[in-house]
Amino acid sequence: MLRLKNIEVIYDDVILVLKGLSLEVPSGRIVALLGPNGAGKSTTLKAISGLLATEEGEVTDGAIEFDGQRIEKLRAEQIVRLGIFQVMEGRRVFEDLTVDDNITMGGYIRSDRAGLRRDRDLCFDYFPQLKNLRGKLAGYLSGGEQQMLAISRALMARPRCILLDEPSLGLSPKLVQEIFGIIRKINEQEKTTILLVEQNANQALAIAHFAYLMEGGRVVLEGETDKVKANEDVKEFYLGGTGGKRDYKAVKSYRRRKRWLS
Amino acid sequence: MEFFFQLALNGVVVGSIYALVALGFVIIYKSSGVLNFAQGEFLLLGGYVFWALVENHAPWPYAAALTILFSIVLGLALERLILRPMIGEPIISVIMVTLGLSSVLRAIVLGIWGTDTRPYPELFSSQPIMVGPVPISQGYLFSMVISAALLLAFTLFFRYSRVGIAMRATAFSQEVAQSMGISVRSIFAISWSIAAVVSALGGILLGALRGGVDGSLSVLGLKALPVVILGGLDSIAGAIVGGLVIGILENLSGGYLDPLMGGGVKEVAPFVVLVLILMVKPYGLFGKIKIERV
């Protein structure tokens, strides 16, 4: 349903960040986009959601299609209305608005009152913790609660596709597990397609159906999750080794040993 | 005692108009984080447009309605021509642009209507209404009611309406607001239009109270600056309280201290209080305290 064809993104007219990136997110699946810092994962999400424009970034080549429609030239608010909602990195709740108002803003593009009321209850079903915090300013919430709120905002928009940027950022391992459980649940129950960007490859691969691995602005590896998990290099560099200790001398040869960097 | 009441009442009336103009300031600040230095000129422009319409034999309610319409168009035009290209630029640049805008607008107004005072016709009968022992002119009462109604309406608008909340959300972060599907462009257009409208109404009311408009109206408009700083830049309640405090202080100090100290205290007193209050409450009386997580 979402297809990126050979896109190129340039910031400030000079900095080339994505160099011919292609990927595909089929309807109803969870697709993980993994990779080290600076690989261009967040940029990819922003290219899809149209948020590049506020950072002087631009899709200069290639095409982004959503259900067959070209969207790379649309403005962010138009893309949200088409059904793509990005949950930005670092939670980014409206800190000086209450939890309730934050949730209201998630449903900003909709006007069906009954549906909105139903979805607000749905958010509290997924995150019962938020219910008692409704009148509180979002800035005073803990990191985990803010992430829950950020995902609730996405639910309120009833998008067909959610772009999740590092939902595990700054959360305790227990919370990460909880959040990822709920992401999977949302995917199963609401049939929402999810494109998940993560540093925490273990968690991401645990819930994703398909995974892409990015480095230096392009995709270097892709496949069904099982296949990706079984890849020796992925095990080595992203999943915490193949067991057994390695000495520090081996670190130097890491880059050389990656097969996809020939 | 009657002298005191009279001064206080004057202060309340003028203060409520200050509050109205300050509201325009607050709305723009709340939605975009920009201090609009052209606020005084909105006031001036509204006052003159109203005068020109009345001068051309429009009955004053129609003239007021047309002035409002003009202000809406002005707000939309400013957003399209000046603010849209500035989206995503540093706030300080936008503030500088409003400074330039204020000079341009003032030059246009003075170019068209000159520097002479343009007298307003009598809008209200001069027969005062008695409130207890104090006589109040009808114009005063009318100004106060209009200001109060508008201030109440906008307080509710920001607290409960979706567009109002979206404006606050946009002020927090344009990028995040966009990711919710909020159109930052229309939010800016709406807030500038509202600001232009309330300022124009303030201009008309001040013109009516002073018996006419001239260039000094824009200076009065800039009084909104101490008002909003006193009240807290992003608080409507702050604008109301700040407006009243400054209006009353001005009149009381003018009435009691000016004869003793040889004039001019009226202009200074509000600023002395402003400094004192900011020393205790740096975000203003009702200002939003930045939430910092550590």
Side-chain angles (χ1 to χ4, degrees), chain B residues 17 36 46 48 52 75 126 128 164 184 216-218 250 255 273 276 286:
Chain B
I17 299 178
N36 173 24
Y48 269 110
S126 49
V184 174
S216 68
L217 211 54
S218 68
E250 228 180 45
V273 177
L276 290 178
F286 296 88

Side-chain angles (χ1 to χ4, degrees), chain A residues 54-55 96 108 110 141, chain B residues 162 172 175 178 288 293:
Chain A
T54 46
E55 302 177 349
D96 44 16
Y108 185 78
R110 295 169 60 193
L141 265 51
Chain B
R162 267 150 53 103
F172 178 76
E175 193 183 19
Q178 279 180 325
K288 178 173 71 187
R293 311 180 81 245

Side-chain angles (χ1 to χ4, degrees), chain B residues 70-110:
Chain B
F70 169 82
S71 303
I72 292 174
V73 174
L74 175 72
L76 294 178
L78 287 179
E79 189 276 332
R80 182 71 195 85
L81 298 175
I82 296 175
L83 289 148
R84 192 173 295 178
M86 299 299 288
I87 286 183
E89 300 294 330
I91 294 287
I92 187 74
S93 315
V94 187
I95 295 176
M96 289 300 126
V97 168
T98 69
L99 210 53
L101 183 65
S102 98
S103 301
V104 172
L105 285 180
R106 186 166 24 199
I108 291 175
V109 169
L110 295 182

